[in-house]
Structures are given as structure tokens and as C-alpha cells.
Amino acid sequence: METFTGKGVYGAVAIGKISIFKRREVSVKRNHVTDTEGEKARLAVAKELAVKQLQEIYEKALKEVGEENARIFETHMLMIEDEDYNDSIRNIIETQKVNAEYAVAVTSDHFAEMFRAMDDTYMRERAADVQDISNRIIQNLDSGQNKNGMGDHKVIICADDLAPSETVLLDKDKVLAFVTAYGSSNSHTAILARNMNIPAIISVGGEFLNAVHDGDEAIVDGFTGEIFLNPDSETVERMGKKQQEDEEKKKLLLKLKGKENITIDGTSIKIFANIGGVDNIGSVIVNDAGGIGLFRSEFLYLESSDFPTEDEQFAAYKKVLESMAGKKVIIRTLDIGADKQVGYFGLEKEENPALGYRAIRICLTRPEIFKTQLRALYRASAYGDLGIMFPMITSVSELETIFHICDEVKSGLRTDGIEYDENTELGIMIETPAAALISDRLAPMVDFFSVGTNDLTQYTLACDRQNSKIESFCDTHHEAILRLIEMSAENAHKNGAWIGICGELAADTALTETFLRMGIDELSVSPSFVLKVRDTVRSIDLR
């Protein structure tokens, strides 16, 4: 038996045989041509077919993983029509008098290299997308079809990496798990695997692919990121029990729907959900969350080619509030910058973007953007129980400026005769050590705190959360982080404010009792973790 370790991106156990993903390798040769117009005509036909194929993949993804996750294929269709991309291909055909396949391959390499050189994690991931669409065009030029080598039985798919289209096109009913040698947890393939509820492990390393063969027995532990190749009987028995226990837990959790989030001794806590867009509301309702503790409004900006208008934002916020039927909805104002870049904002490259021009700093220095969003939010407040939350707060003066702008916006709405809820709760993210340390001064100014543990951990421990090399130094249970959270909770309650946690630690059930003893009022987690956290809460006795 051999054991390999990668990074688990969906926690579950799979036991079965390995199938090495086989994609049709297209050998692109440089051929001299005299009819460049003919090559461009071939290219146009191949591109047209690629768009048709992507539309079919989009419709399949729509059914299997939902609209938000299917959008990547709409993006691929747009990338195929990108002016710079196509100009490069045509220019190579015309000036070098070469075949279309070669021109596409050279352009693909150039654009992928350009994306990989970018500082932003999201943009680096686009290199795989360029290669995906380019390979599709090349295969169409060659009249080839992509083969995945799957048989009639459920298998563990192993590959160097998987493009989003390859992931979606795999027959989900025949896939036990994904294991890839490379890739990242930010990749669309990892996101799709999570949303398809398929155990998945990435970044196992190239040596893994050299060790495996079609038909090898294997066990995938998506919780720990371990792959056991040709496991011994003891490991098979142990992992089989773990798989059975996990499946039984999932069934039992369904029985918790409609139950209270209350400990054995009677202490209650609210369990809300974090979402990134209107399309996620269904999962909030299905998983029985008590409300939305974090609606990431920046996704409205990330998915747009220009600044979303007041009416566009209002429509989205209104839909969320109406869909939640009176349950609390906390919408975080724009949190762009750092690892979330949008081209039309025109943000300059920074040496330390996580410490730079981002979130509330953009809003306060570009108030026209901020006021548009606040008008949309206050207009939507008339349609439900809205809370507005401001990110990256570090000082009292920032809050004073924010509230002055809010007053201006509300005054404008009154002048325009537009209804809004004057009692809309206002809160801030506690995600910098500065905010936690002066929480006694900030608490009297707001209705609530929400602790963003991802950034709070990053800033407290001086660990870049995007840097995989220092994960071992990033102790999310570090005493300093817990002290800052406890300090914030004490100061919130002393000053009549409530406090929640919306970062990753909210779903860490090893800390649930700790948070309850601190007096945390609300935990906001990914929708799929709501029932798991409820189960933990109901098993705790604080006496």
C-alpha cells in the first residue's frame, strides 16, 4: 500500500477502482500554407462549433451545479470571441502563413503565460480557461472528439488536472471521486466538484500519476486529503467504517430540519448562511438556515463588465430580502481589492494588495460608487429585515464618515419620496486586529459586529492566506485570534450590540463550544454546514 496526500476540496470517502483520465492529445505541427483566407475560414467554422459545444455544456452544468457555477461556460463563450485573442490568431496566420491549429496553439501559450504572471489569484486561474477553449478549437479543427476513457462502472478519476468543461462532461453517475496532481482550491474544477458533492483531492503531485494505473484499487479521503493506493485489508475496513459513519451522519442531519439551535442547558444561538449571490438562496432555504449572515455584494461587481447600476443592485437585494420572507439578511458592502480584482475599477498593481487599497477604503475615496450601493440597499430595506455591514474597518473616524454618507443617502431618498426602513441595522466586520483592539469604542456606534476570521487570522499571524507554502504556520486556533474574538464579544455586549462570526471558523465545530462560552450570538456558515453546526450546538452542555 502507498499513501499520497493532497488537499481535500470536498469532504467524503470514496472506495473503488482508478480510471486514468484520457484526453485526446492533439499534436500541433507548424505547416506552411498559401491560402491564409482558407485557414481563417476553417478557424471560423471551428469557433462556431466550439460555441455550440459550450452552450450544450452550459445547459448540462445548469441542471447539475446551478446557474452561478455554470457561468464559467458563458465566460468561455465570451473568451472565444475576445478581440485580442482572435486578432493574435489571425495575425499569426497572415504574417507567418501557417495553419490555424498552430496559430491557436501559439496564442493559447502566450495568453496562458500572461495570466500565470499576474499577481491576482483569480486571474492566474484564467490561464486554464484559455487553454481549455484553445484545445477545444484545435480539436474541432482536427475533427477530433474528447475521450475520457471511462467504462461502465463507477470509478475514481485521476488526472494531471481537469478543465471545467471536462469536469462537467464526465458522467456524474459513474464518478466516485476526483484526484488531480495539480490545481488549486480556487479553481473552477474544485468549485464544481464541491457543488456536485463528489469527493475531490487536488495538488497530490506528479509522482502520484507515475504510481497509478487503470484498475488499481484506491481509497480517497476527501476530509484529510489522503489517497490510499492498493490499500491493505485493515485500511479498507477502517475507511469503510468512516464512509458508513459519514453517510449515516448526513442522513441524521436531515432530521434536524426545523429544530432549534439550542444547547442541552438551554443556551440558544442563531445559525445563518453565507452566500455569494441571488442564485444561492435556494440552498439557504433547503438547509434550513435562520437567515443570511453574509451576502457578498461584490459578486454583483465581479460578474459585471461595468459598474452595476442602482436599479440593478436594488433588484438583486430586493429579491434576496423577499425570498427570505422576513428572516434576517446581512449584506456586506463592496469588498473589492486584494484577491478580488475587477478590471473596470482601474486599480493599480500593489506590492501588498491585502494591506492596500480595498473594501471600505475604495468606498470612502470613491463615494460615488458607495452612495449608489447604499441607495440601492436602503431602497431594498423596505422589503425585509436588512442589516448593512461594512468591511475592513480600522478606526472610529472611518465609521463617522460612513454614517455621514448614510445620512446623506437617506436624506436624498426622503427628498425623492422613496420608502426605506429607518431602523435598518448597521454593523461592521471585525477582521483587523485594530478593530478588535478598539472594539470598546466601535461597539457603541453600531448595532452588531461580525467577525471575519479569514482576514483576522491573516493579519494577526502575518500569514498570507493565499500562500500555500505557509499553511502550516497559519494556526486558525491560535490563542491570539481567540482572545481578539472574545474581547470583541465582551465589548459588543457591554455596549448593547450583538456579535456573530461569518468567517471559516464559524463552521469549525471544534470551536463551537468555545464560541458559545464567549457569548457569540450568531454563526454564519456555508449553507451545507448549517445542520452540522446545529447538531454540534444541540450536543453541548455549558453547565
Side-chain angles (χ1 to χ4, degrees):
M1 180 179 78
E2 291 183 88
T3 303
F4 296 87
T5 304
K7 186 171 184 178
V9 294
Y10 180 77
V13 175
I15 302 174
K17 293 183 182 295
I18 282 176
S19 175
I20 306 295
F21 183 82
K22 299 178 179 68
R23 61 174 61 87
R24 185 175 182 275
E25 296 294 339
V26 179
S27 178
V28 178
K29 295 181 180 178
R30 176 184 174 125
N31 295 323
H32 178 75
V33 299
T34 55
D35 183 8
T36 56
E37 292 302 317
E39 287 303 302
K40 286 189 284 185
R42 288 180 63 230
L43 174 66
V45 171
K47 280 173 49 187
E48 185 178 349
L49 177 57
V51 171
K52 182 180 178 182
Q53 292 166 336
L54 285 166
Q55 183 62 43
E56 292 173 355
I57 295 171
Y58 169 77
E59 290 168 4
K60 185 176 189 291
L62 204 60
K63 295 175 184 176
E64 293 189 356
V65 294
E67 185 177 355
E68 183 179 351
N69 294 294
R71 283 199 187 107
I72 178 59
F73 303 110
E74 286 186 324
T75 303
H76 281 198
M77 285 184 264
L78 291 172
M79 290 175 78
I80 284 179
E81 302 301 336
D82 180 77
E83 188 175 342
D84 292 335
Y85 177 78
N86 284 287
D87 282 349
S88 173
I89 297 172
R90 285 191 292 265
N91 183 61
I92 292 171
I93 292 173
E94 291 170 355
T95 60
Q96 300 184 32
K97 297 189 183 305
V98 291
N99 53 317
E101 291 92 335
Y102 180 79
V104 173
V106 171
T107 298
S108 174
D109 289 344
H110 171 69
F111 274 70
E113 178 95 16
M114 179 178 67
F115 280 121
R116 288 194 194 97
M118 293 183 179
D119 291 333
D120 178 51
T121 304
Y122 177 84
M123 295 307 294
R124 285 199 299 271
E125 293 295 341
R126 303 293 66 75
D129 295 331
V130 169
Q131 291 175 315
D132 194 9
I133 63 169
S134 299
N135 288 338
R136 180 171 299 281
I137 293 171
I138 292 170
Q139 287 169 0
N140 289 341
L141 283 164
D142 196 49
S143 301
Q145 296 296 319
N146 198 14
K147 305 292 182 183
N148 63 43
M150 292 175 64
D152 296 327
H153 305 289
K154 284 192 171 186
V155 291
I156 297 168
I157 298 293
C158 296
D160 53 354
D161 202 355
L162 289 167
S165 59
E166 292 171 336
T167 306
V168 170
L169 283 175
L170 290 170
D171 187 345
K172 185 181 174 184
D173 293 332
K174 294 180 181 177
V175 178
L176 289 171
F178 294 140
V179 180
T180 64
Y182 309 106
S184 79
S185 55
N186 293 316
S187 70
H188 285 292
T189 300
I191 294 168
L192 289 170
R194 285 193 288 266
N195 282 277
M196 292 165 75
N197 297 326
I198 293 174
I201 299 176
I202 59 170
S203 299
V204 185
E207 66 277 7
F208 170 72
L209 286 182
N210 295 328
V212 298
H213 305 89
D214 278 324
D216 281 350
E217 297 286 342
I219 299 175
V220 173
D221 187 341
F223 296 101
T224 64
E226 293 176 298
I227 305 98
F228 303 98
L229 186 61
N230 297 315
D232 55 35
S233 57
E234 182 183 343
T235 303
V236 171
E237 183 179 358
R238 176 170 59 86
M239 296 307 298
K241 285 182 180 178
K242 185 172 183 176
Q243 182 185 49
Q244 186 177 359
E245 288 170 359
D246 178 50
E247 290 171 353
E248 287 174 356
K249 282 179 183 178
K250 287 174 180 173
K251 289 178 183 177
L252 286 172
L253 288 177
L254 295 177
K255 296 180 181 179
L256 290 173
K257 284 189 175 183
K259 302 289 187 182
E260 292 183 303
N261 310 309
I262 190 165
T263 62
I264 293 170
D265 61 289
T267 302
S268 64
I269 190 170
K270 294 174 182 176
I271 302 178
F272 288 179
N274 300 331
I275 63 172
V278 177
D279 298 331
N280 300 141
I281 296 172
S283 61
V284 175
I285 295 170
V286 166
N287 287 283
D288 200 32
I292 295 173
L294 171 61
F295 179 93
R296 301 179 177 93
S297 70
E298 58 270 15
F299 282 88
L300 294 173
Y301 296 79
L302 289 165
E303 294 166 359
S304 178
S305 59
D306 202 353
F307 294 100
T309 65
E310 178 185 323
D311 285 342
E312 288 171 339
Q313 294 189 62
F314 165 68
Y317 305 147
K318 177 174 177 276
K319 184 174 180 179
V320 174
L321 286 159
E322 288 182 330
S323 299
M324 291 305 293
K327 291 182 178 179
K328 191 74 178 181
V329 175
I330 298 174
I331 299 179
R332 180 176 67 190
T333 59
L334 178 64
D335 189 5
I336 289 292
D339 60 327
K340 289 172 283 191
Q341 296 287 326
V342 182
Y344 59 83
F345 270 73
L347 302 179
E348 296 178 358
K349 181 180 177 181
E350 297 178 291
E351 289 298 321
N352 296 296
L355 304 177
Y357 188 54
R358 58 171 296 197
I360 203 65
R361 297 167 182 176
I362 293 176
C363 291
L364 293 181
T365 52
R366 299 175 71 173
E368 71 284 356
I369 297 173
F370 196 29
K371 288 179 180 178
T372 297
Q373 181 172 37
L374 287 172
R375 275 184 63 93
L377 285 166
Y378 272 112
R379 285 173 60 191
S381 69
Y383 296 88
D385 186 2
L386 174 66
I388 302 175
M389 179 162 66
F390 306 104
M392 277 295 289
I393 299 300
T394 60
S395 70
V396 169
S397 62
E398 288 170 347
L399 267 186
E400 290 173 340
T401 304
I402 288 167
F403 293 151
H404 176 70
I405 295 173
C406 286
D407 288 340
E408 284 184 0
V409 167
K410 290 188 289 184
S411 177
L413 291 173
R414 287 194 296 270
T415 300
D416 295 338
I418 298 174
E419 185 181 359
Y420 69 92
D421 181 5
E422 184 64 52
N423 297 315
T424 297
E425 285 195 331
L426 301 180
I428 63 169
M429 296 278 288
I430 300 290
E431 53 189 339
T432 66
L437 290 168
I438 62 166
S439 54
D440 58 329
R441 297 195 59 201
L442 297 173
M445 303 175 71
V446 298
D447 297 298
F448 66 91
F449 287 159
S450 187
V451 183
T453 55
N454 301 352
D455 270 332
L456 185 62
T457 299
Q458 170 175 245
Y459 296 135
T460 304
L461 301 184
C463 283
D464 180 0
R465 70 189 213 188
Q466 301 292 327
N467 189 340
S468 60
K469 293 181 180 178
I470 56 173
E471 282 188 17
S472 60
F473 297 96
C474 195
D475 177 10
T476 56
H477 291 203
H478 196 289
E479 183 181 4
I481 298 163
L482 298 180
R483 282 190 184 186
L484 290 173
I485 296 172
E486 186 171 27
M487 178 191 301
S488 301
E490 289 176 357
N491 288 324
H493 293 148
K494 283 179 185 176
N495 291 281
W498 61 268
I499 181 170
I501 299 176
C502 65
E504 292 295 318
L505 284 190
D508 187 341
T509 52
L511 289 174
T512 304
E513 181 174 340
T514 299
F515 292 147
L516 283 165
R517 292 189 182 278
M518 287 181 184
I520 297 297
D521 303 294
E522 174 251 8
L523 296 171
S524 193
V525 300
S526 296
S528 60
F529 283 93
V530 169
L531 295 176
K532 180 182 178 182
V533 175
R534 177 176 297 166
D535 184 43
T536 301
V537 168
R538 292 172 64 86
S539 69
I540 292 171
D541 190 340
L542 297 175
R543 287 173 295 192

